[in-house]
Amino acid sequence: EAGVAQSPRYKIIEKRQSVAFWCNPISGHATLYWYQQILGQGPKLLIQFQNNGVVDDSQLPKDRFSAERLKGVDSTLKIQPAKLEDSAVYLCASSLVLRQGPMDGYTFGSGTRLTVV
Amino acid sequence: AQTVTQSQPEMSVQEAETVTLSCTYDTSESDYYLFWYKQPPSRQMILVIRQEAYKQQNATENRFSVNFQKAAKSFSLKISDSQLGDAAMYFCAYVSWNNNAGNMLTFGGGTRLMVKP
């Protein structure tokens, strides 16, 4: 099966510019996550979608970050305006939602490396 | 809030030898899952092994095994017969399987594993 697709793979922007990332999860995976991974740290959840609804966005800096998942499939994450501290890898993941647990685990994309200069 | 701690920023092992990576977590939940993920330079998170908290038996996957100590909230990863391809960042992750909560992964800070030929 195809994996989680993300684009672009790399992006360099100046501070105060805007940027958007795209994610296409595994077909049939209802749950989609966006994680921010700063260099040398573990990923931190930004937002979780269940189909096209938001489950958790408590860690999303809503004054500059926004995300949507139209039609419950693809998702985009936007930053406007970007700050230097937004430099990080942005990982998208998807999973099946099963009552008995995440038996199939979580599948991650290769991420987008954002550099803000 | 759940936290995951990896106390070893870097570890080194000789090829063909055994290495153990440490992980501790803090939770008040009784139903949860623990994972070890490998992140090579390609940035994609690859599932190494998972453990269901209700299972007393430690999980094993070929050369990878865990030592799950539920009372101590400890979840270490043992890699036997280390290979050059095992060199990567390793992340311990936790998810609570509570129907009232989002089933998102919480990651530790990671351990960089180097394998010497």
Side-chain angles (χ1 to χ4, degrees):
Chain A
E1 75 183 352
V4 175
Q6 287 190 250
S7 66
R9 187 148 174 80
Y10 301 93
K11 190 73 177 178
I12 301 174
I13 62 172
E14 295 183 350
K15 59 184 179 182
R16 291 188 289 274
Q17 286 187 326
S18 63
V19 64
F21 314 124
W22 174 81
C23 173
N24 186 353
I26 289 178
S27 177
H29 279 196
T31 310
L32 183 147
Y33 314 80
W34 283 103
Y35 284 85
Q36 179 193 57
Q37 185 179 17
I38 293 172
L39 185 64
Q41 299 181 18
K44 183 187 77 173
L45 180 74
L46 290 175
I47 188 167
Q48 175 187 351
F49 291 95
Q50 177 74 16
N51 295 310
N52 60 353
V54 175
V55 174
D56 187 339
D57 63 356
S58 58
Q59 300 299 309
L60 188 73
K62 299 180 185 63
D63 58 334
R64 298 184 300 105
F65 286 64
S66 64
E68 61 182 9
R69 189 182 184 197
L70 299 176
K71 300 180 181 179
V73 182
D74 294 8
S75 177
T76 55
L77 176 69
K78 297 179 181 177
I79 307 175
Q80 182 180 11
K83 293 185 175 181
L84 296 177
E85 58 260 37
D86 298 331
S87 294
V89 172
Y90 292 84
L91 293 166
C92 179
S94 68
S95 72
L96 284 173
V97 177
L98 301 171
R99 291 186 62 82
Q100 63 267 37
M103 302 310 293
D104 289 338
Y106 301 76
T107 305
F108 286 80
S110 295
T112 297
R113 180 180 297 281
L114 173 68
T115 302
V116 183
V117 298
Chain B
Q2 290 81 17
T3 58
V4 179
T5 303
Q6 294 178 247
S7 59
Q8 306 153 316
E10 282 191 0
M11 290 287 284
S12 180
V13 63
Q14 205 71 33
E15 194 176 6
E17 294 190 346
T18 296
V19 64
T20 298
L21 308 184
S22 301
C23 172
T24 58
Y25 59 95
D26 185 25
T27 183
S28 58
E29 303 285 344
S30 58
D31 190 9
Y32 55 87
Y33 294 76
L34 296 162
F35 301 84
W36 279 98
Y37 280 90
K38 172 184 178 182
Q39 188 179 42
S42 66
R43 304 197 300 257
Q44 186 172 18
M45 288 283 189
I46 302 166
L47 177 65
V48 174
I49 198 166
R50 66 171 156 254
Q51 174 80 42
E52 296 89 337
Y54 63 86
K55 288 187 177 179
Q56 293 185 337
Q57 186 174 7
N58 289 324
T60 61
E61 286 287 342
N62 301 313
R63 297 183 296 108
F64 300 88
S65 62
V66 299
N67 184 2
F68 174 47
Q69 301 290 325
K70 190 172 184 178
K73 296 180 182 174
S74 170
F75 183 60
S76 61
L77 174 69
K78 185 171 82 172
I79 306 174
S80 304
D81 186 24
S82 297
Q83 300 176 0
L84 295 177
D86 294 334
M89 285 293 293
Y90 285 81
F91 291 96
C92 179
Y94 162 101
V95 63
S96 168
W97 209 250
N98 181 337
N99 287 333
N100 296 323
N103 50 347
M104 62 283 201
L105 288 167
T106 299
F107 287 89
T111 297
R112 180 176 301 281
L113 177 65
M114 295 172 286
V115 181
K116 298 178 181 177

